[in-house]
Amino acid sequence: MVNARAVDGIRAPLVRIETHLANGLPGFQIVGLPEAAVRESRDRVRAAIQTSGFEFPRRRITVNLAPADLPKDGGRFDLGIALGILAASAQVPQSALDRREFLGELGLDGRLRAVGGTLPASLAARDSEHQLVLGRDDGPEAALAGGADVVTADHLLEVCAALNGKAQLPAAEPPGLQPVAAPDLADVRGQHQARRALEIAAAGGHHLLMIGPPGSGKSMLASRIPGILPPLTEAEALETAAIHSLRGSEHLRHNWRCRPFRSPHHTASGVALVGGGPNPRPGEISLAHNGVLFLDELTEFDRRVLDVLREPLETGVIHISRAARHAEYPARFQLVAAMNPCPQGFDCDLAERCQCSPEQRARHRRRLSAPLIDRIDLAVEVPRLPTTALKPVPGEDEASASVAERVCAAHERQRRRQDGRLNTQLSGRELDVHAPLERGERVLLERAVDKFRLSARAYHRILRVARSIADLAGSETIRADHLAEALGFRALDRWRID
């Protein structure tokens, strides 16, 4: 019996490869719910064993991939199947296969090829205290799992020599990480209100909507958010990298321990955002897990596509169901969106120059559903700036590093107070404990809820934002000015977004 790992979401369940050699006409059959690529491994394995100088048994061979109800796909089981046949025919010792797991696609000449998505398998093997054996190209990714015993080989012969005690496989080395510096907030001229909203959103993990005419700096501001967010913890980095490894992303090399920043085009489909396919794969919202999902030109997205965001915005996970498969991916992301105030074009802004009719403006706003807008914590206007405001003013444009210090301090206060969670993750009952209001502040909030006809969800979101503003100020309690600022980012009367 040989151990291997399948792919099931970001999990890597154990697969036991059982091999039986029987008398009768020669044959080779694989059972255990194999898909096409796995069934084709019969020819790859036969050729690899023969070209490597081993004897391929001329008997009836049955290979079972257990558990039988778990779908198996790809060429990741080739190496395990080949070793199972060699062990059943006494060409490698069965005892050497114990406490080891094998992943790798075999070429016809016996060379090991990369299969990708090995980080979840490496984490699972580490937890099982097994050694993981795979191709050399897969080694750097698998070695990111600290404490995992990962060794690599280039050829089936090298693996067999190690199992027979004639050689030793080299340990995998982590990749040479080349982090890319995030854009600096000091490049943004003016837009002090938007910069403040950006800082508050980063401090509490809140969702942000920026409204302004083309060219006012909305996309530029959004791209600066990763630079003011704290780096990922070790656990967050491994979880994020495990998701990206399923898509063969370069995230591991260039963005290790950096917050993901995903910016899909407005023509993206619902499947592209949430994930899917015959064998469910993560979409943009899962690739943005622990980071930022930026939706530019929000009103240009199909309304039905945007509405699929409503569930993961609340729960932080996405469930993908198909006829024979079900996958669950984490999707705790920070939504940042940008939109034009109306559909006119380059001369469109919030001033009197706008020539859009009330009907055009109303139609433009109706492209966003009320339940989706209700899930956004902060909305800020990003107006067109006069030319004089674009000139650099010494000491006025604060760099990302100094803003990040305040954001990191706010994160630390929240995690210490709230058992490792940010304000945006607090439930209504937990807000009563961690964000209590004095009588005057509560009356102020209740009056605002009645005036703007806010929902219960909006009420709690205002409290979370006010708690983040207080954390940035280093205050243990929420004061009236904190609450008023949170309400100011919510009540855009002329947009009626609440």
Side-chain angles (χ1 to χ4, degrees), residues 43-79:
D43 299 318
R44 293 193 297 270
V45 167
R46 180 187 289 108
I49 289 177
Q50 291 174 340
T51 56
S52 299
F54 295 102
E55 178 186 354
F56 189 82
R58 297 182 59 81
R59 301 173 67 183
R60 185 171 184 81
I61 304 171
T62 303
V63 173
N64 179 42
L65 306 178
D69 60 345
L70 178 68
K72 293 90 179 176
D73 60 348
R76 60 197 300 114
F77 302 106
D78 288 5
L79 178 59

Side-chain angles (χ1 to χ4, degrees), residues 49 53-57 83 85-93 160 163-164:
I49 289 177
F54 295 102
E55 178 186 354
F56 189 82
L83 293 175
I85 293 173
L86 293 176
S89 57
Q91 298 181 72
V92 296
C160 294
L163 296 177
N164 284 311

Side-chain angles (χ1 to χ4, degrees), residues 102-155:
F102 302 87
L103 290 178
E105 179 182 333
L106 287 173
L108 300 183
D109 59 353
R111 293 186 181 275
L112 282 173
R113 296 196 176 108
V115 296
T118 56
L119 182 54
S122 179
L123 293 169
R126 180 192 65 184
D127 295 340
S128 300
E129 298 183 352
H130 287 177
Q131 183 182 72
L132 180 62
V133 182
L134 35 68
R136 194 175 303 277
D137 292 339
D138 280 326
E141 177 185 325
L144 289 173
D149 184 5
V150 182
V151 294
T152 63
D154 286 322
H155 199 280

Side-chain angles (χ1 to χ4, degrees), residues 349-354 361 494:
D349 55 24
L350 300 181
E352 292 76 8
R353 290 184 300 165
C354 181
R361 288 188 177 216
R494 70 183 90 179

Side-chain angles (χ1 to χ4, degrees), residues 88 102 169 180 221 228 353 373 389 403 412 460:
F102 302 87
L169 297 177
V180 178
L221 283 161
I228 63 175
R353 290 184 300 165
I373 290 296
V403 178
E412 182 59 30
H460 288 135

Side-chain angles (χ1 to χ4, degrees), residues 437-451 459 483 487:
L437 296 178
E438 298 294 337
R439 184 176 182 279
E441 286 76 14
R442 186 168 296 280
V443 170
L444 172 63
L445 180 55
E446 290 173 353
R447 288 178 178 174
V449 168
D450 293 338
K451 178 178 180 180
Y459 174 89
L483 194 58
L487 287 167

